[in-house]
Amino acid sequence: MLPFMHMLRRAGLVKRILATRRQYSSRFGYEHSRCLVFSNFGQPEKVLKLHSYSIPPPYDDIINVRFIASPINPADINQIEGVYPEKPEFTLGLGTGEKSAVPGNEGLVEIVSCGSRVNPSIRPGQWAIMSGPNFGTWRTYAQAKESNLIIIPDREGISPLQAATVSVNPSTAYCMLKYFAGLGSGDYFIQNAANSGVGRSAIQIGRLWGFKSINIVRDRPDIDRLKEELRLLGGTEVITETEAKDRRYMAKITEGRSIKLALNCVGGESATNLARILGHNGHLITYGAMSKSPFSVPASALIFKNIHCHGFWISAWSKRNEAAKSQMIRDILSWVRDGEFTDIPYEITKWSGDTELETLMEPVKRGISEYSGRKGIFLMDED
Ligand SMILES: NC(=O)c1ccc[n+]([C@@H]2O[C@H](COP(=O)([O-])OP(=O)(O)OC[C@H]3O[C@@H](n4cnc5c(N)ncnc54)[C@H](OP(=O)(O)O)[C@@H]3O)[C@@H](O)[C@H]2O)c1
């Protein structure tokens, strides 16, 4: 045996066999997953814990995936708090003492290995995003089924952060602009929280489809910089909430234009004001409630202008429109690839094998407090 090993070593083969074995055990053997978990709803800093568990090799229709990037969206925080209508499934399957769930709804994964009955078009190395909510994306590895994933067919020219954030914010903006008011080239829409992830996406998609936009943001010390930034994205007008409430100022901005669509992320007075600004037969779509305040719609806007009020929720729309969702993701990624759709500003938190709970909690806490101007996102190291 020894002379045989000696011969192999001399030929450099032992190193190669060991390297192949290491690859075998990480690609096809057990994966070690680290995740954030919670067992009760509550404030994230009180209920989230860091947990590790092993993932066995895939069998049948199971696919083992490695997370590359997972965003931290306002809805993820609301879900942990228990105030979001979609609730995750609490399970003992993660090996925690009490039933628990992994937070996070959006994310980008790499296919690591596939069970024997998985569709052969799905192959290790491909990228995929989650097909729907509630997967639990704040972790490093997981097991999925084909129905949980939308494969990204061509990742050339797309960064992991762009792919990881495509299915919530840009998709919401895309649907609201496309499906409600029948906007055509040159038509105007108006929106509040225009500097949000959804707002920035709406500006850019609107520009690509030939729509004009009036973009409202909250006042701040560096307002001129923000106004310029949003104009460069394609915003036609960028104004503050104070300016939007000034009727004379708004009369000048909207002179000769009928605003057909308003996108409401805020609620409260800001939303009431959108209803006032909307033109005849306009549509007010509420998709967020950042101020946490209800809003009233002036009776005159309903009676004399016949405005229509709707809500939009991307989770519900995605469940009913699988084929349209895949097409929408392809459209948005093709704009990204062509350099026509710019990233939202990100705040990256690196997640490697030894990252502590405190580090992972920083972007989560920022997501609850004042908006930092950047989308928090976990970027996982390959270990
Ligand atoms: N319905 C759906 O399908 C859907 C899909 C995606 C997102 N959403 C919702 O849309 C909202 C925005 O999400 P996002 O990911 O785009 O958020 P984001 O990028 O984190 O931006 C948050 C925005 O909210 C504004 N904001 C924060 N607190 C506010 C307050 N108290 N009053 C007024 N404005 C406030 C911020 O303005 P400042 O810069 O002035 O702080 C910023 O423009 C969230 O409520 C989210 O849940 C809904």
Side-chain angles (χ1 to χ4, degrees), residues 74 169 172 195-198 218 220 287 290 312 314 371 375:
N169 288 341
T172 302
N195 61 326
S196 66
V198 177
R218 288 199 289 183
R220 66 199 68 221
Y287 69 95
M290 290 306 292
F312 180 75
I314 191 71
Y371 181 54
K375 169 86 45 201

Side-chain angles (χ1 to χ4, degrees), residues 1 15 24 45 53 84 97 118 134 140 143 152 194 207 222 245 248 252 261 265 280 365 378:
M1 186 65 185
K15 223 173 173 179
Y24 183 84
E45 61 267 47
Y53 67 107
Y84 199 67
V118 170
N134 277 337
T140 56
Q143 289 197 312
I152 295 181
R207 185 198 75 226
D222 59 347
K245 280 173 200 140
R248 256 198 265 163
K252 270 194 219 145
L261 177 71
C265 172
H280 277 90
K365 283 194 224 155
F378 294 123

Side-chain angles (χ1 to χ4, degrees), residues 123-310:
R123 294 180 305 276
Q126 283 176 323
W127 280 4
I129 57 171
M130 299 1 273
S131 61
N134 277 337
F135 187 84
T137 58
W138 295 0
R139 57 176 134 189
T140 56
Y141 285 88
Q143 289 197 312
K145 294 202 172 173
E146 186 179 352
S147 59
N148 299 128
L149 305 172
I150 296 178
I151 299 289
I152 295 181
D154 176 11
R155 65 193 223 195
E156 186 74 28
I158 300 167
S159 77
L161 302 189
Q162 289 165 329
T165 50
V166 74
S167 64
V168 175
N169 288 341
S171 299
T172 302
Y174 180 110
C175 289
M176 293 192 298
L177 291 178
K178 182 165 180 159
Y179 295 119
F180 285 92
L183 292 186
S185 185
D187 282 341
Y188 269 83
F189 72 93
I190 188 165
Q191 59 170 342
N192 55 23
N195 61 326
S196 66
V198 177
R200 285 168 191 267
S201 301
I203 293 175
Q204 297 186 80
I205 296 171
R207 185 198 75 226
L208 286 160
W209 285 342
F211 309 155
K212 311 252 187 213
S213 57
I214 300 175
N215 300 282
I216 307 173
V217 291
R218 288 199 289 183
D219 224 324
R220 66 199 68 221
D222 59 347
I223 187 66
D224 289 339
R225 200 163 59 102
L226 180 61
K227 282 186 170 184
E228 184 57 15
E229 204 183 315
L230 299 187
R231 274 195 211 104
L232 285 174
L233 286 183
T236 316
E237 306 281 356
V238 186
I239 60 177
T240 63
E241 285 283 359
T242 315
E243 287 164 341
K245 280 173 200 140
D246 179 335
R247 292 187 190 208
R248 256 198 265 163
Y249 183 86
M250 280 315 291
K252 270 194 219 145
I253 296 263
T254 57
E255 195 180 354
R257 303 163 178 166
S258 177
I259 317 295
K260 294 191 168 177
L261 177 71
L263 308 180
N264 169 33
C265 172
V266 174
E269 261 188 80
S270 173
T272 304
N273 200 38
L274 291 182
R276 273 198 202 104
I277 297 167
L278 259 180
H280 277 90
N281 300 316
H283 294 258
L284 172 64
I285 321 293
T286 294
Y287 69 95
M290 290 306 292
S291 71
K292 295 197 164 81
S293 306
F295 65 96
S296 54
V297 177
S300 58
L302 293 166
I303 301 169
F304 304 125
K305 290 200 294 179
N306 190 32
I307 70 159
H308 309 268
C309 299
H310 319 251

Side-chain angles (χ1 to χ4, degrees), residues 45-63:
E45 61 267 47
K46 294 209 176 120
V47 298
L48 287 185
K49 294 181 190 138
L50 191 55
H51 173 68
S52 299
Y53 67 107
S54 286
I55 292 180
Y59 58 94
D60 283 354
D61 60 347
I62 302 287
I63 303 168

Side-chain angles (χ1 to χ4, degrees), residues 355-376:
T355 307
E356 306 276 357
L357 177 63
E358 290 68 37
T359 308
L360 298 175
M361 285 307 297
E362 278 167 22
V364 180
K365 283 194 224 155
R366 264 201 311 276
I368 307 165
S369 60
E370 192 63 0
Y371 181 54
S372 71
R374 293 173 179 277
K375 169 86 45 201

